[in-house]
């Protein structure tokens, strides 16, 4: 979603710069490669960059490439381009960090649940030893709780009795 918003902002800024006259679309040598390509060629004919689908695809591609910092990003030439790219890079880094952090939390929670299960199973083994439960019955009970864990990761009495 953020890449979509960034693509829209990129296209909007490119068009604003062209319409305000900050970029000469006829002089390709002095024109910044950072902004969206012109929709007309040197002879005034409409080219492939004029279609709505190409405008969105090009802008989304630029946004994705920039925010993920993969591929070759056009070197900015103007001050605003440097600031905008810096902002986009920082947003991309923050999104990447939040995704990695979320994955880490999921793994930590899974490990914590497994540790809780293992602690309860150890308590059960200790209790069965205290009550002198036979080896065969003890093994069956342990296998049963291992099965429950494998099926639905639970050890709660209410869930077990369902």
């Amino acid at each position: 979603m953020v890449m979509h918003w960034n693509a829209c902002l990129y296209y909007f800024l490119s068009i604003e710069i062209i319409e305000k006259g900050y970029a000469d679309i006829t002089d390709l040598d002095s024109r910044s490669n950072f902004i969206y390509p012109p929709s007309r060629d040197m002879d005034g004919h409409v080219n492939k960059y004029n279609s709505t689908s190409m405008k969105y695809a090009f802008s989304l591609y630029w946004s994705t490439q920039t925010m993920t910092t993969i591929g070759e990003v056009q070197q900015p030439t103007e001050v605003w381009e440097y600031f905008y790219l810096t902002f986009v890079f920082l947003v991309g880094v923050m999104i990447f960090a939040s995704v990695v952090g979320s994955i880490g939390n999921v793994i930590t929670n899974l490990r914590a649940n497994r540790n809780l299960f293992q602690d309860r199973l150890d308590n059960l083994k200790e209790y069965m030893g205290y009550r002198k439960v036979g080896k065969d019955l003890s093994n069956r009970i342990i296998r049963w709780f291992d099965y429950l864990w494998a099926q639905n990761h639970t050890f709660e009495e209410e869930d077990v009795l369902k």
Side-chain angles (χ1 to χ4, degrees), residues 1-130:
M1 183 60 87
V2 175
M3 289 183 189
H4 164 77
W5 293 336
N6 186 47
C8 294
L9 182 62
Y10 166 75
Y11 180 76
F12 173 75
L13 288 174
S14 294
I15 296 306
E16 283 297 308
I17 288 167
I18 292 169
E19 287 179 358
K20 299 279 190 219
Y22 297 124
D24 184 6
I25 60 172
T26 58
D27 186 8
L28 296 179
D29 292 331
S30 67
R31 186 181 176 282
S32 173
N33 289 328
F34 186 79
I35 60 176
Y36 186 80
S39 300
R40 298 188 178 272
D41 60 19
M42 297 299 290
D43 299 327
H45 299 102
V46 173
N47 63 19
K48 66 180 180 181
Y49 294 108
N50 195 42
S51 74
T52 304
S53 59
M54 180 56 103
K55 290 174 183 177
Y56 183 71
F58 185 93
S59 299
L60 186 63
Y61 174 79
W62 181 91
S63 175
T64 304
Q65 183 181 25
T66 305
M67 293 188 86
T68 58
T69 64
I70 58 173
E72 183 98 12
V73 178
Q74 289 293 336
Q75 178 68 30
T77 56
E78 302 292 327
V79 173
W80 74 268
E81 293 172 352
Y82 280 101
F83 283 119
Y84 182 65
L85 258 185
T86 301
F87 175 74
V88 169
F89 283 151
L90 289 175
V91 169
V93 166
M94 284 186 264
I95 290 171
F96 178 76
S98 67
V99 168
V100 169
S102 295
I103 291 170
N105 285 339
V106 167
I107 292 170
T108 300
N109 289 339
L110 288 174
R111 190 172 296 137
N113 289 341
R114 179 65 188 181
N115 288 343
L116 178 64
F117 168 77
Q118 195 61 49
D119 287 344
R120 289 183 177 178
L121 192 59
D122 290 343
N123 290 339
L124 176 64
K125 289 177 186 176
E126 191 176 310
Y127 178 77
M128 288 189 298
Y130 173 74

Side-chain angles (χ1 to χ4, degrees), residues 146-160:
D146 280 337
Y147 169 78
L148 286 177
W149 176 258
Q151 293 304 310
N152 55 5
H153 298 275
T154 188
F155 199 66
E156 299 300 324
E157 184 178 355
E158 296 83 24
D159 294 334
V160 170

